[in-house]
Amino acid sequence: MADDKKGPGFGSAFTPHMLVQHYKDGVWAKAEIQPFGPFTLSPATVVFHYGQEIFEGFKAYRQPDGSISLFRPDRNLARLNASAARLCMPQVDTAAVLSDICRLIKTERECVPPRPYTLYIRPCMIGTDTVIKVHPSPTCIFFVITCVVGDYFAGQDPRGVRLRTETEYVRAAPGGTGAAKCGGNYAASLAAQGQATVEGFDQVVFLDARERKYIEELGGMNIMFLIDDILLTPALTGGSILPGVTRESLLQLVRRQGRKVEERDIAVDELLAANKAGRLKEVFACGTAAVVTPIREIVHGNAMLYRNTSDRPGELTVQLRQQLMDIQFGTAPDPFGWRYPVPL
Ligand SMILES: *Cc1c(COP(=O)(O)O)cnc(C)c1O
């Protein structure tokens, strides 16, 4: 490990190798496995000035028999290409990239930790032309780094995180880049996040850009609500919400269990009313990094939008987190064929 002094926190214990692939003259060169280390880039490089950058995030899971599996990497690579299209970057050959990533994981196989730790895989593509002019870069670097990760919210209250709605800043707008996984969206979320942290919240819930009336998502996670016996999550149709693989997987799991699911616009007012009536039972966030994260409180202005008054997270929240992790770590059947064994 490049940094194993503090044990695996999130995002700093990089493994010794990385995958690097260059794009030029309309073609991708062969992907190379190299020692993890810095790039030398001109200060005029496009990514520094105009933010032409996209990324992905998924994990490798140590299985009970010692083998290693990925979780739905095809969904991440399809999303990588969707993000690339949105930012005018070249498409990758998803089958070739998957096999290259497996080669990287095989190289780093000793670094794949036992459950509940995982090897986080971070593909990234940057525009590398060196002209100070706004244009789609004709050259790119695609690279993949990996790091050992533990719990994203380690050391938090077990009932989960405390949030507030964000009524001033927005993360993404209709027609913008909200559905693409690009660094610029994160840069845009920092001011809201910073302000909320000062106020003692863990994260913010972003609202729609037009009216600030509808729930969108957190800075890096999707959000779900249990009202009565219906699991609700914002629909993706507006194009400003990131289509999470965890979100999609949980919806499939829950539907298979015969539970009612609704993907639609969710107004803050609807949640306030449901909470007042005692019908808002559970709220959680979901994403690869933190899997399923219970939310213990959401504040909206002067109003309490949701509060978990018990001493533990909701039943469905706990159950879904467990079910998803059991599939990922190979201790439960895989009815949807989500596990992708890494050839070792
Ligand atoms: C990555 C991300 C998610 C979660 O996506 P997963 O595929 O489940 O990891 C949700 N929201 C945003 C803004 C993200 O960047």
Side-chain angles (χ1 to χ4, degrees):
M1 286 319 100
D3 171 13
D4 58 3
K5 289 182 285 291
K6 297 185 290 288
F10 200 95
S12 59
F14 298 106
T15 64
H17 299 88
M18 62 181 184
L19 188 78
V20 180
Q21 187 170 25
H22 292 266
Y23 181 84
K24 195 181 157 186
D25 299 328
V27 289
W28 286 104
K30 194 175 165 305
E32 308 277 0
I33 292 175
Q34 303 176 358
F36 180 95
F39 294 117
T40 301
L41 293 170
S42 161
T45 303
V46 159
V47 64
F48 298 147
H49 301 269
Y50 307 119
Q52 203 184 16
E53 185 266 359
I54 57 172
F55 65 97
E56 267 304 325
F58 53 107
K59 289 171 168 175
Y61 303 84
R62 184 68 77 179
Q63 305 293 295
D65 66 358
S67 66
I68 298 166
S69 277
L70 303 176
F71 182 74
R72 309 189 75 183
D74 54 314
R75 302 302 296 141
N76 293 88
L77 295 175
R79 191 172 65 191
L80 179 74
N81 271 343
S83 300
R86 181 65 183 80
L87 274 86
C88 290
M89 302 183 88
Q91 297 288 293
V92 300
D93 175 339
T94 55
V97 166
L98 181 53
S99 118
D100 290 333
I101 288 176
C102 285
R103 198 154 53 88
L104 177 66
I105 295 168
K106 185 178 177 185
T107 306
E108 308 294 54
R109 62 188 175 276
E110 300 301 326
C111 297
V112 179
R115 182 177 184 169
Y117 300 107
T118 56
L119 190 72
Y120 185 79
I121 301 156
R122 166 53 58 86
C124 184
M125 195 193 296
I126 58 173
T128 53
D129 202 19
T130 53
V131 186
I132 300 298
K133 183 188 86 175
V134 180
H135 69 299
S137 179
T139 57
C140 288
I141 299 177
F142 174 69
F143 60 93
V144 183
I145 56 176
T146 67
C147 58
V148 173
V149 297
D151 194 346
Y152 191 74
F153 287 108
Q156 298 272 356
D157 187 310
R159 291 169 307 166
V161 293
R162 206 173 151 248
L163 314 179
R164 72 153 164 76
T165 56
E166 174 56 56
T167 49
E168 183 188 356
Y169 297 110
V170 296
R171 190 192 83 91
T177 55
K181 213 165 173 72
C182 62
N185 292 339
Y186 280 76
S189 76
L190 294 175
Q193 182 63 43
Q195 184 60 39
T197 307
V198 169
E199 295 164 22
F201 296 96
D202 297 303
Q203 301 248 326
V204 301
V205 183
F206 286 103
L207 304 178
D208 75 287
R210 277 203 190 95
E211 301 183 84
R212 312 281 200 283
K213 276 189 183 167
Y214 298 95
I215 300 286
E216 297 234 308
E217 61 172 319
L218 313 195
M221 279 183 287
N222 297 116
I223 188 165
M224 299 197 181
F225 303 87
L226 182 67
I227 296 186
D228 300 324
D229 60 348
I230 304 174
L231 189 66
L232 291 165
T233 196
L236 301 175
T237 42
S240 54
I241 294 175
L242 198 286
V245 178
T246 317
R247 173 191 180 281
E248 179 183 301
S249 305
L250 291 174
L251 293 180
Q252 278 182 255
L253 267 182
V254 160
R255 284 199 174 102
R256 186 171 182 270
Q257 291 160 8
R259 196 179 275 275
K260 281 177 243 157
V261 172
E262 291 179 12
E263 290 176 76
R264 60 169 172 81
D265 290 346
I266 302 169
V268 171
D269 283 347
E270 175 185 355
L271 295 175
L272 286 167
N275 186 49
K276 209 165 182 185
R279 299 172 50 216
L280 180 53
K281 312 283 192 211
E282 301 182 29
V283 187
F284 60 84
C286 60
T288 298
V291 196
V292 171
T293 299
I295 293 169
R296 74 173 192 275
E297 199 174 291
I298 306 179
V299 173
H300 175 67
N302 297 321
M304 186 59 71
L305 197 153
Y306 171 75
R307 176 182 267 161
N308 177 357
T309 50
S310 86
D311 58 358
R312 50 177 172 223
E315 207 176 306
L316 181 66
T317 303
V318 173
Q319 192 189 317
L320 287 177
R321 180 183 168 87
Q322 191 66 40
Q323 286 175 352
L324 190 59
M325 288 180 63
D326 284 347
I327 296 177
Q328 291 168 333
F329 285 102
T331 53
D334 181 20
F336 299 100
W338 286 339
R339 286 193 293 259
Y340 184 90
V342 176
L344 294 178

